Amino acid sequence: MIKTSKHIATCLLCCSIAAAPIALTGCEDMFETDSDRQIFDPELDQLTDSMFYTLGIMKGLQMAADQYVMQGEMRGDLVATNQYTETDLRELANFSATTANKYDSAYVYYRVINNCNYYIAHRDTTLRVGSRQVALPEYAEALAVRAWAYMQLCKTYGTVPFFTEPLVNIGDANSQKETKDLQGICDALAPELIRFSGTPVPDYGSVSAGVLNSSDSDNPQEKSVNSKLAMLPVDVVLGDLFLETHQYDQAAKYYFNYLRTNELTLGQTFINIDSYLLQILEDKIPSSLTSMNSEGFSWSSIFSVNGNNDIVTYIPLAANKLRGVVTELPGIFGYDFYSTTGGAAGSNARYLLERQIDASPGYVALSDAQDYYYTSGAGTGGSTVVSKADIGDLRRYITMRQVAKNDSAFAVMIKFTSANVPIYRAATVYLRLAESLNRMGYPDAAFAILKDGINEDLTTYVQHGDSTDLEANRYIRPQTAQLLQTAIPFLSPENTQTFVDNWGIHSRGCNYTQGSFSPYQYQTIVANKMAELQQQGITATGTLNDTINAVEDLICDEMALELAFEGNRFGDLTRIARHKNNAALYGANYGSQWLARKLAYKHPVVDLLDKNNWYLPFK
């Protein structure tokens, strides 16, 4: 039992969300509420109350956005500091941060939690329009947001004060609180969340907020914030709760429930080798790579919240302080989003030499080490010839744009040039599903998410018999095919057509990975990863567990290639490290050793073999 810090206790008293109508005009805060009227009246009995309170809770997430990304990336293995990096970011990067660090604040999450507690405690969920209980989506959303916020606290601090009753006076705020870790949070909050599995997120249509997002920086345009995409889905949060606590079958179940309910697939994407990439890659592009597949949607547009289906949840930030909560993230990564004189949006004039974060050597090396696959002709018997080019994963060049400006050459991360912070994307959900399936004992199903996408074509790749000379593409075991038809039924008769358009995630940056003609094959890629691990001193056990460990590393690599700089990385690394420690395949502390090796280049001031040093000091 510990007390909530005085800072948090005092601030929580100012956290009640007001219930006045939200303003939807371009000159107001996109999530504006009447801050003059604090709510201490427990009657939330009007139909419109749900919308006002829910959008108010979302505003609390805006205040956590910068911290979420900086804590997750600066302590991970994908970034490097430079001469422009401020002290607070340097301290996060080398694990020397104290409670004085501006990115260390438990309050930003407890503010959200207390608002959720208040809503959950007082909302009348019996309100109906006809036969429909109209308050249930908002009620479920409050449960999901509260669970997500507690997860972030536990991932950051380990064990944290836990309460589910709203704090509305100084006595409540200063009272002793029980504490819980991730397992305790899951045990306490998952049962009620499960009751709302499948509940759709609230959807109020578009919330308008003025933002400078046109090609003309002097012409303010209206930015439509898709309210549905600002919400946290119950089933995805449940999947995370169970994945963080190593309950892999439950995690896979709820990730799949979300994907099925929302018919969410990993669509076909492409990265066009345009003049920009031609200039960067120069002589690396072979003459036989004459054209590319350009079906589907461009990966470079994946962070647009309009027109693609990859965004699941994002936090929209405003164009200036008059229009709501703003973000420092674009400027930190090297893009002057808030400039009114810096030229057209997306132009070189907006890129900042004084960026505070660079890509790490490890991220660049990982990207460069990937093979790029392309069709180079037709073979005999109707086969397709697929060749490899040594140009790396092209997502790197879209994520870290190479800039030449004022006689300087540097790279700028451009995922936040719209001031939208992605929390979940379709790729995030599928990669965490792959992580779950792998640890359940189905590394072939996990690899399918990287290679082909889980779709009806996988039945072509099922092994038959015990022959050791199976075709390379026949990598799905019969028991895995059974799993995908029953427990996680992507391939059941009623679901097959829903997922027919699933594509492999690795193809997003490396092109032609699917099918039997691509050199990107399960046996080959897993063998390469196992050889890499053996070079690090790992002695294989000769069991399926070796494959599970190797595929887990491949998934971790794919998370870096696809989700880099979005705020997930340190949480992904520590979760996977805990998986490895729990499995104890190569020793009880193998996961900690794995993590420490990945972060050694940062010269941390603490010993990362001790998992207690993975956490920030609680403030």
Side-chain angles (χ1 to χ4, degrees):
M1 304 280 281
I2 66 173
K3 289 187 177 181
T4 309
S5 75
K6 287 185 177 180
H7 173 71
I8 295 173
T10 301
C11 291
L12 282 175
L13 298 181
C14 301
C15 289
S16 295
I17 300 296
I22 189 167
L24 304 182
T25 62
C27 60
E28 300 291 342
D29 186 338
M30 65 182 77
F31 292 154
E32 181 59 47
T33 55
D34 181 0
S35 60
D36 293 333
R37 183 151 66 94
Q38 296 297 327
I39 293 300
F40 295 101
D41 177 359
E43 294 183 8
L44 278 72
D45 56 2
Q46 300 298 311
L47 293 178
T48 52
D49 285 346
S50 285
M51 181 178 76
F52 307 142
Y53 271 75
T54 301
L55 291 178
I57 289 170
M58 296 304 104
K59 184 169 182 175
L61 293 181
Q62 289 180 315
M63 298 181 69
D66 285 12
Q67 176 174 293
Y68 170 80
V69 173
M70 289 297 95
Q71 286 184 354
E73 294 304 327
M74 292 310 299
R75 295 185 294 161
D77 62 334
L78 307 181
V79 304
T81 58
N82 59 38
Q83 61 181 315
Y84 304 109
T85 307
E86 65 179 35
T87 299
D88 287 319
L89 294 179
R90 289 184 186 278
E91 290 176 349
L92 285 178
N94 67 15
F95 294 84
S96 65
T98 68
T99 55
N101 193 288
K102 73 178 184 180
Y103 295 105
D104 180 5
S105 172
Y107 162 66
V108 296
Y109 291 115
Y110 278 115
R111 178 184 191 273
V112 172
I113 288 166
N114 203 41
N115 284 327
C116 292
N117 285 345
Y118 192 90
Y119 182 87
I120 292 165
H122 296 302
R123 184 52 167 152
D124 179 1
T125 59
T126 64
L127 293 171
R128 294 177 180 270
V129 171
S131 62
R132 186 167 59 93
Q133 289 180 276
V134 294
L136 288 186
E138 286 83 2
Y139 187 84
E141 179 65 11
L143 294 173
V145 172
R146 180 174 68 179
W148 183 86
Y150 267 126
M151 269 195 294
Q152 308 319 307
L153 285 168
C154 288
K155 288 160 66 174
T156 303
Y157 302 109
T159 301
V160 300
F162 177 81
F163 54 95
T164 56
E165 293 298 320
L167 306 181
V168 295
N169 59 61
I170 197 68
D172 291 342
N174 283 327
S175 65
Q176 286 188 322
K177 308 292 187 296
E178 65 175 319
T179 61
K180 292 187 184 295
D181 58 8
L182 277 167
Q183 185 64 60
I185 295 297
C186 183
D187 293 343
L189 300 182
E192 188 172 13
L193 264 182
I194 288 171
R195 293 177 48 225
F196 295 94
S197 174
T199 302
V201 298
D203 184 359
Y204 312 124
S206 295
V207 179
S208 296
V211 65
L212 300 177
N213 69 341
S214 72
S215 59
D216 179 0
S217 65
D218 296 321
N219 180 22
Q221 300 293 313
E222 285 297 309
K223 172 184 177 181
S224 293
V225 175
N226 187 334
S227 61
K228 178 180 179 180
L229 298 183
M231 307 294 168
L232 295 165
V234 167
D235 283 312
V236 178
V237 173
L238 276 170
D240 282 359
L241 280 171
F242 288 120
L243 183 57
E244 292 287 348
T245 53
H246 319 298
Q247 300 176 72
Y248 307 117
D249 56 342
Q250 291 296 300
K253 171 185 174 181
Y254 287 104
Y255 288 136
F256 173 75
N257 282 351
Y258 177 76
L259 297 171
R260 175 176 57 185
T261 301
N262 293 274
E263 300 185 353
L264 187 62
T265 61
L266 288 176
Q268 184 177 4
T269 70
F270 66 92
I271 295 177
N272 186 33
I273 299 182
D274 56 12
S275 58
Y276 163 67
L277 284 176
L278 283 171
Q279 182 179 9
I280 292 172
L281 299 172
E282 298 183 74
D283 297 333
K284 288 186 176 182
I285 298 179
S287 58
S288 55
L289 204 173
T290 57
S291 64
M292 290 192 58
N293 175 22
S294 59
E295 297 179 10
F297 64 90
S298 169
W299 194 82
S300 62
S301 68
I302 208 164
F303 298 96
S304 168
V305 297
N306 300 312
N308 76 68
N309 66 346
D310 203 69
I311 298 292
V312 171
T313 302
Y314 76 105
I315 301 175
L317 283 305
N320 58 54
K321 292 182 179 179
L322 294 177
R323 292 175 176 136
V325 180
V326 296
T327 175
E328 295 182 2
L329 293 175
I332 289 172
F333 281 105
Y335 182 77
D336 188 4
F337 173 74
Y338 293 105
S339 174
T340 58
T341 59
S347 70
N348 260 23
R350 287 182 178 262
Y351 297 130
L352 303 173
L353 175 63
E354 298 84 3
R355 79 277 176 211
Q356 298 189 51
I357 300 175
D358 288 329
S360 70
Y363 170 74
V364 174
L366 174 65
S367 297
D368 287 349
Q370 307 307 308
D371 290 319
Y372 184 87
Y373 307 99
Y374 65 100
T375 56
S376 53
T380 59
S383 63
T384 299
V385 176
V386 180
S387 300
K388 297 190 294 186
D390 186 23
I391 60 177
D393 190 302
L394 296 188
R395 285 171 290 189
R396 166 196 165 191
Y397 299 106
I398 304 302
T399 299
M400 296 295 296
R401 186 171 184 86
Q402 308 299 303
V403 176
K405 181 179 177 182
N406 299 335
D407 298 324
S408 296
F410 53 98
V412 173
M413 199 284 286
I414 59 172
K415 285 187 175 181
F416 299 139
T417 53
S418 60
N420 293 325
V421 178
I423 300 299
Y424 292 121
R425 296 197 278 117
T428 319
V429 180
Y430 271 97
L431 283 167
R432 291 182 186 173
L433 172 63
E435 185 182 333
S436 306
L437 291 170
N438 182 54
R439 279 291 169 184
M440 285 173 65
Y442 299 93
D444 45 351
F447 189 81
I449 291 175
L450 305 186
K451 172 177 164 52
D452 295 293
I454 298 182
N455 58 58
E456 62 183 354
D457 289 342
L458 283 187
T459 56
T460 304
Y461 310 140
V462 177
Q463 295 179 4
H464 299 287
D466 298 321
S467 173
T468 58
D469 60 347
L470 293 166
E471 294 179 52
N473 65 306
R474 295 189 181 275
Y475 65 97
I476 298 295
R477 296 169 298 158
Q479 59 265 43
T480 302
Q482 180 72 12
L483 174 85
L484 296 176
Q485 292 165 350
T486 55
I488 311 295
F490 280 94
L491 305 183
S492 67
E494 61 269 28
N495 293 327
T496 298
Q497 287 305 304
T498 298
F499 298 105
V500 70
D501 292 327
N502 255 340
W503 285 71
I505 292 180
H506 197 63
S507 68
R508 292 184 164 196
C510 297
N511 204 34
Y512 201 109
T513 63
Q514 58 273 10
S516 59
F517 300 125
S518 174
Y520 188 77
Q521 296 295 335
Y522 179 57
Q523 290 85 354
T524 302
I525 302 302
V526 171
N528 291 344
K529 177 58 73 172
M530 292 182 70
E532 177 187 319
L533 294 173
Q534 288 171 356
Q535 291 175 358
Q536 298 171 0
I538 298 301
T539 301
T541 65
T543 66
L544 177 65
N545 289 329
D546 290 315
T547 301
I548 290 172
N549 182 71
V551 170
E552 187 169 68
D553 280 19
L554 289 171
I555 295 168
C556 185
D557 289 348
E558 198 65 37
M559 288 173 169
L561 296 168
E562 175 69 23
L563 307 176
F565 317 124
E566 295 177 31
N568 303 299
R569 190 57 177 176
F570 189 67
D572 289 342
L573 291 178
T574 53
R575 183 181 64 251
I576 291 172
R578 288 187 286 107
H579 295 340
K580 294 179 185 297
N581 282 342
N582 284 359
L585 179 64
Y586 306 124
N589 209 35
Y590 170 64
S592 300
Q593 296 168 352
W594 173 87
L595 177 68
R597 184 166 54 248
K598 281 186 172 293
L599 299 177
Y601 78 98
K602 302 164 79 78
H603 305 292
V605 302
V606 296
D607 181 7
L608 293 177
L609 294 177
D610 180 355
K611 67 179 184 181
N612 292 317
N613 291 327
W614 301 353
Y615 303 116
L616 288 173
F618 185 84
K619 179 180 73 173

